[in-house]
Amino acid sequence: MSQRRLAFFLLAPALLLVAFTTIYPLIVSLWTSFHDYNLTRSLNMGPWIGVENYTEAFKYDPDFWKVMLVTATFVILDVGLTMLVALGLAVLLLRQGFGKTFLRTILILPFAMSPALIGISWRFMLNPDFGGFARTIGAILPFMRDVDYFANPYLAMGALVSSDVWHWSPYFCFMLMGGLASIPPETQEAARIDGASAWRVFRDVTLPQLKPVLVVAIILKSVFALKVFDAIVTMTSGGPGRETTTLGYFAYQIGFRDYQFGYAAALAYILTAIMFVLSLSYMRVAFRNAP
Amino acid sequence: MTDTPLPGTRPNTQDSSTPEQRRIRRLRRQRAMNTFEAAVMIVIIVLVLFPIGWMVATAFKSPAVVYQYTMWFEPTLENFRNIFSERWNIGKNILNSSIVAISVVIIATPLAVGAAYAFSRLMFPLKRTMFQWILLTQFIPAVAIVLPFYVMFRTLNLLDTYFALIIVNLSGVLPYAIWTIKGFIDAIPIEAEEAARIDGAGRFRVIWDIVVPMAWPGIMTAAIFCLILTWNEFLFGYLLTRQHAVPLPVGLISFVLERGTVWELVAATGIIITIPMFFFAMIIQRHFTKGMNLGAVR
């Protein structure tokens, strides 16, 4: 059998499945987004209305820009904090010492947990009357006693971000550990002999060499952050008001609560476009030196 | 950690210090660092384990104690009996999740091995483009995929079925599996395959007898990752099921009642969702970093 025919034979099932489960629905979504499709009025798709669903979002829907702001805030906080925690953990874990194996083992736990479960647990933990987090915070900071976390926009956002950081930091910690371990130790050693402080060695020698891995991690985490859905449903339901409603959750609400499928498809497509730009930059970085 | 306190030395910021003084200063700083490091590690361990420990404790608390801030209580299995009772019937959700997750793994893994081998070893047109497009599909938001599927499954009367869940879950895990396994096949020396080919083995023989055993850790890693992702999946289950095919994580929602959430049952169900995944994650722990980085960073 020729290589081409064999490749076709091996690839066809997987490619067909990927095409059917992602590319096909993506095209249908795009098509839907140019139509008037409201499930409360009719079970069938309405007439072609061009880009009206998109102008609705950008021009007329006051919620849309609010949601975009929430999304940007969430992504920036989430990605920034996850990277800081993951990098700190990675540096810590790569140092020799007592308890590192144990720490590495338990770090798997948050990652293996369902985000929906983490979301609902956080809501429990932050209950001011009997929640483990809320009562502990209240004991340390008395002014935080009896605070309703999910009624306050900043605290609700903080709760959502913290749950996602808790879930994802281990994954990115392991990824950055791989990156740190592949840096030749001679460079750091040389800088140390020249009298550089530990912080200078890290900032001027280690960090620049870690940059390719770090960039990949940041883009990947941004994509994951834009995808967050489960924890929003089980923890904040997007509230208070729209304060924790990210674009993905907004599209869900428009589609599956208000049954405006056309508009929801347009919103989902705006999200897809943002992710696409991020993904392409990811590809460029990840494949820069690939064979 | 092993050095003893050194009395009588003073930190000296002038540069006139002798080498001996500098050595002492370094040791002191190191001791301070070690103490600091230990403190940080304790904080991290507490932050990781506290929410999990709280959930475990809640699952064994009787309803009266759940609403108290305490770790001292008489453990009971009542909550577990309760969730398996006819009223909540979490056993059905466990069955649903198992059927969907196992089917997804059984379908995705062999397909991914075949595709990964082609991408790793064979030459064909548009190879790089195809590979990048497969990876790109990982980044499509689920909301954009679920809408057309909802309409399609409703038309075909497939809402609330295992079939619907298996299909949509495959969309998420298959590209990931191809990506991971390809990384592991890339790392196998090609000489082993060539030797067998010279001996007259066909391609499929080579794949089955040489590539699969050598890439086994990678295949296992990919399979277990797929299992964890599908098992924990929430969005598709939330939107595409009503009562028959509801998966476990979506089952959590049923404890959110109008009069409030029944937290002890949430916690008990949470433990059932989590324990098998902890177990599987431990199995692949060694390959955890490797599997992720091979595809992501090269």
Side-chain angles (χ1 to χ4, degrees):
Chain A
M1 209 185 313
S2 75
Q3 281 217 2
R4 270 190 191 202
R5 282 188 52 195
L6 181 73
F8 175 79
F9 189 83
L10 288 172
L11 279 172
L15 286 185
L16 276 177
L17 204 62
V18 170
F20 175 65
T21 55
T22 54
I23 298 174
Y24 161 74
L26 216 54
I27 293 168
V28 176
S29 260
L30 185 65
W31 182 247
T32 310
S33 74
F34 293 118
H35 285 78
D36 177 28
Y37 191 179
N38 193 325
L39 221 56
T40 54
R41 284 201 304 268
S42 158
L43 284 180
N44 297 314
M45 193 152 63
W48 172 276
I49 54 169
V51 292
E52 239 173 73
N53 283 322
Y54 292 90
T55 39
E56 165 77 20
F58 287 111
K59 262 191 157 160
Y60 301 112
D61 189 348
D63 283 344
F64 176 74
W65 289 108
K66 170 71 195 168
V67 165
M68 289 299 268
L69 184 67
V70 168
T71 312
T73 312
F74 175 74
V75 171
I76 290 168
L77 285 175
D78 188 31
V79 174
L81 280 171
T82 307
M83 287 306 136
L84 273 179
V85 173
L87 191 57
L89 282 174
V91 171
L92 187 68
L93 279 176
L94 282 176
R95 288 166 61 95
Q96 297 297 316
F98 180 74
K100 296 295 157 59
T101 320
F102 175 69
L103 185 55
R104 204 178 297 199
T105 308
I106 65 163
L107 275 180
I108 304 268
L109 304 181
F111 179 70
M113 253 169 101
S114 148
L117 176 62
I118 298 174
I120 204 165
S121 302
W122 246 240
R123 198 150 62 82
F124 178 49
M125 297 290 285
L126 287 170
N127 183 298
D129 295 328
F130 48 82
F133 284 153
R135 289 290 296 263
T136 310
I137 294 170
I140 301 168
L141 308 166
F143 65 91
M144 291 294 282
R145 253 176 232 164
D146 303 321
V147 170
D148 185 349
Y149 284 82
F150 298 108
N152 178 312
Y154 301 108
L155 293 177
M157 177 60 87
L160 191 64
V161 169
S162 68
S163 81
D164 204 52
V165 171
W166 190 81
H167 178 55
W168 280 113
S169 292
Y171 180 99
F172 286 98
C173 162
F174 291 123
M175 189 164 170
L176 295 180
M177 270 170 75
L180 283 172
S182 66
I183 295 173
E186 296 81 30
T187 53
Q188 292 152 333
E189 203 52 51
R192 214 168 291 135
I193 288 166
D194 287 348
S197 66
W199 167 244
R200 283 291 303 264
V201 174
F202 181 73
R203 199 193 65 187
D204 295 339
V205 181
T206 311
L207 216 48
Q209 293 187 80
L210 188 65
K211 205 179 139 201
V213 184
L214 204 56
V215 170
V216 166
I218 287 171
I219 300 173
L220 207 57
K221 183 67 198 81
S222 309
V223 171
F224 292 158
L226 284 169
K227 276 185 165 185
V228 164
F229 178 85
D230 311 3
I232 300 181
V233 175
T234 56
M235 198 196 313
T236 67
S237 306
R242 289 233 179 271
E243 297 294 340
T244 55
T245 304
T246 61
L247 187 52
Y249 187 70
F250 187 52
Y252 148 76
Q253 283 189 323
I254 298 290
F256 288 90
R257 204 191 54 191
D258 305 346
Y259 293 113
Q260 298 180 324
F261 269 27
Y263 186 35
L267 290 171
Y269 240 82
I270 294 167
L271 181 59
T272 309
I274 298 171
M275 306 250 265
F276 197 71
V277 172
L278 276 173
S279 316
L280 281 181
S281 51
Y282 170 82
M283 290 293 167
R284 282 192 51 181
V285 181
F287 279 83
R288 192 177 286 156
N289 301 314
Chain B
M1 297 289 265
T2 48
D3 50 333
T4 46
L6 297 149
T9 53
R10 223 176 293 121
N12 190 346
T13 46
Q14 302 302 312
D15 226 352
S16 58
S17 52
T18 63
E20 175 64 7
Q21 279 172 316
R22 253 177 288 166
R23 194 183 68 84
I24 290 163
R25 227 163 45 220
R26 208 177 57 231
L27 284 174
R28 284 192 143 191
R29 203 160 52 213
Q30 213 160 31
R31 265 164 52 85
M33 270 299 285
N34 283 338
T35 318
F36 176 71
E37 196 181 316
V40 170
M41 291 217 0
I42 290 170
V43 170
I44 294 168
I45 291 171
V46 168
L47 282 178
V48 172
L49 291 184
F50 183 53
I52 300 173
W54 195 265
M55 182 179 81
V56 174
T58 305
F60 291 100
K61 282 177 174 180
S62 63
V65 200
V66 170
Y67 302 95
Q68 290 167 24
Y69 177 64
T70 178
M71 279 287 194
W72 300 114
F73 58 91
E74 210 171 302
T76 165
L77 286 174
E78 192 52 39
N79 301 323
F80 290 94
R81 261 195 295 275
N82 213 335
I83 54 173
F84 282 102
S85 71
E86 219 163 298
R87 163 114 200 260
W88 303 106
N89 201 6
I90 212 76
K92 173 69 173 146
N93 300 89
I94 297 177
L95 180 73
N96 293 345
S97 275
S98 308
I99 290 176
V100 172
I102 292 170
S103 309
V104 165
V105 170
I106 287 177
I107 298 170
T109 315
L111 295 189
V113 170
Y117 182 83
F119 279 126
S120 178
R121 293 289 198 247
L122 304 176
M123 298 297 290
F124 51 91
L126 294 176
K127 176 169 150 177
R128 204 182 144 114
T129 318
M130 272 201 265
F131 187 60
Q132 296 193 353
W133 270 95
I134 287 200
L135 292 194
L136 269 182
T137 61
Q138 277 261 282
F139 300 138
I140 297 168
V143 197
I145 293 179
V146 79
L147 253 143
F149 269 122
Y150 179 82
V151 176
M152 186 173 86
F153 289 142
R154 205 196 50 198
T155 319
L156 298 172
N157 245 331
L158 284 172
L159 280 182
D160 208 7
T161 62
Y162 297 141
F163 179 80
L165 278 186
I166 292 167
I167 289 286
V168 289
N169 271 300
L170 279 171
S171 77
V173 302
L174 190 57
Y176 175 77
I178 296 174
W179 181 1
T180 306
I181 296 172
K182 177 185 178 286
F184 278 83
I185 294 181
D186 283 345
I188 300 173
I190 192 123
E191 290 76 22
E193 277 179 59
E194 278 166 353
R197 301 253 299 148
I198 290 166
D199 290 345
R203 280 278 187 181
F204 290 103
R205 257 270 84 90
V206 170
I207 293 177
W208 187 249
D209 286 347
I210 292 168
V211 176
V212 168
M214 288 183 84
W216 193 246
I219 296 171
M220 280 301 287
T221 305
I224 288 177
F225 259 109
C226 292
L227 187 76
I228 295 178
L229 289 177
T230 311
W231 180 270
N232 286 341
E233 201 286 322
F234 178 82
L235 188 151
F236 294 134
Y238 185 57
L239 299 179
L240 299 178
T241 64
R242 290 288 165 271
Q243 33 174 313
H244 299 298
V246 177
L248 253 183
V250 182
L252 286 172
I253 300 285
S254 58
F255 302 118
V256 182
L257 307 174
E258 236 155 80
R259 59 180 165 85
T261 308
V262 197
W263 294 111
E264 64 274 21
L265 301 187
V266 168
T269 310
I271 288 186
I272 292 183
I273 300 177
T274 310
I275 282 181
M277 296 308 114
F278 279 180
F279 174 71
F280 284 120
M282 292 295 171
I283 298 180
I284 55 164
Q285 197 203 347
R286 270 183 313 130
H287 307 292
F288 206 75
T289 343
K290 213 168 146 205
M292 280 181 315
N293 280 338
L294 282 172
V297 190
R298 305 185 45 95

